[in-house]
Amino acid sequence: QTIESLKAETKKLKDQMQLDHIHTTPIGNESHIARLQDQGDIYTRKIEYETKKRDELDKKIIEIQEKIINKRASIGAAKKNKETNDTIVQKIKKTEHKLDKTLQKYNEAVAQNKKIHSQIDSLRREKKVYQTLRQRLTEEVEQKQQELKQIESQKEQAKIQRDDAKKQLLSLKETAEREQTKFKQE
C-alpha cells in the first residue's frame, strides 16, 4: 500500500513538473522524512527508557527474590515459634504475588519494546524508500532542466535562422523587383 501511494505521488509530481516547466523540489518529502527522523529519535528514546525500566525491574526482581530467601531464613530461625505456618504462607503468597506482578510488568515492557523496535524498523525502511524516491526525482528534474536548456538554445538558433531567411527573402524580392523594373524599362 505504501509503494502504491509513492507511485501515485511520483506520478503527481511528474505531472506537476510537466505543467509548470520550472524547477521544483519535493519539499513535502523532505518534511515527511524529517518527521520520520524525529519519530525515529522519539522511539529510540522510548526504547532507552524502556530498557532502563526493564533493568530496574530486573533489579527489583532480584531484590524481592533475595528478600524472600532472607524472610524464609529469618522466619525459620528467629520467628519460628512466634508465627504460625499460616501467616508465613500468607507473607510468602503476598511476596510471590508482588513478584508475579513485577514479572508481568517486565514482560509488558519487553513486549512494548519489541513493538516500538518494529515500528522503528518500519520507519527506517520507509525513510529509505523516500530518500531513494527523492534522489530519483531530483535527477529527473536536473535532466529535464538540461533538456529545457537545449530546447531553448535550439529555439534561439531557429529564430536566428528564420530572421536570416526573412532578410534573404526580402533582399531577393527587392533584387527581383529591381530587375523586373529594369526589365520593364528596357
Side-chain angles (χ1 to χ4, degrees):
Q1 186 179 12
T2 303
I3 292 174
E4 291 175 15
S5 65
L6 287 176
K7 285 181 182 177
E9 187 175 337
T10 302
K11 185 179 184 315
K12 181 179 176 183
L13 287 172
K14 284 182 181 178
D15 292 342
Q16 191 176 18
M17 280 187 344
Q18 290 174 353
L19 291 175
D20 294 340
H21 292 293
I22 60 172
H23 179 266
T24 58
T25 58
I27 296 172
N29 285 341
E30 291 175 350
S31 66
H32 184 70
I33 289 171
R35 193 179 92 243
L36 290 174
Q37 288 173 335
D38 290 342
Q39 286 178 349
D41 292 341
I42 289 169
Y43 284 120
T44 302
R45 281 186 249 125
K46 285 183 178 182
I47 288 173
E48 291 172 358
Y49 172 75
E50 291 298 329
T51 303
K52 287 179 183 176
K53 193 173 175 181
R54 185 191 68 214
D55 292 340
E56 290 174 9
L57 291 175
D58 286 341
K59 288 178 184 177
K60 285 182 180 180
I61 289 171
I62 291 170
E63 289 174 9
I64 290 173
Q65 287 174 341
E66 289 175 356
K67 285 181 181 180
I68 289 172
I69 292 170
N70 291 336
K71 285 285 186 180
R72 286 181 180 163
S74 66
I75 288 172
K79 297 183 180 180
K80 190 174 186 181
N81 295 332
K82 293 181 181 179
E83 295 182 16
T84 64
N85 284 339
D86 292 339
T87 56
I88 293 172
V89 169
Q90 286 178 352
K91 286 184 179 184
I92 289 173
K93 284 183 181 180
K94 284 181 182 179
T95 308
E96 286 177 348
H97 183 68
K98 285 183 182 179
L99 177 63
D100 287 341
K101 282 188 176 182
T102 306
L103 286 172
Q104 183 180 5
K105 286 181 182 178
Y106 169 77
N107 289 334
E108 289 172 0
V110 168
Q112 182 69 17
N113 192 7
K114 285 181 182 179
K115 181 180 175 185
I116 291 171
H117 199 349
S118 173
Q119 288 174 341
I120 289 172
D121 288 343
S122 175
L123 290 172
R124 284 181 180 154
R125 286 190 298 272
E126 195 172 323
K127 177 184 172 185
K128 187 174 182 179
V129 168
Y130 281 123
Q131 286 174 337
T132 303
L133 176 65
R134 179 176 180 254
Q135 182 181 3
R136 191 172 350 121
L137 290 175
T138 303
E139 290 170 1
E140 286 181 22
V141 166
E142 290 173 359
Q143 181 183 359
K144 295 296 179 187
Q145 285 177 335
Q146 291 296 326
E147 290 174 8
L148 185 62
K149 286 180 183 178
Q150 289 176 349
I151 290 171
E152 288 292 327
S153 174
Q154 291 172 357
K155 177 183 152 187
E156 288 298 320
Q157 289 176 355
K159 191 175 182 181
I160 291 170
Q161 289 175 353
R162 184 193 69 203
D163 291 344
D164 288 344
K166 280 184 180 179
K167 286 178 186 176
Q168 284 180 347
L169 182 63
L170 285 175
S171 175
L172 288 174
K173 279 184 181 180
E174 289 174 5
T175 304
E177 285 178 9
R178 273 189 259 132
E179 287 181 9
Q180 190 176 9
T181 308
K182 249 187 191 180
F183 182 73
K184 284 183 182 178
Q185 287 175 355
E186 288 180 4

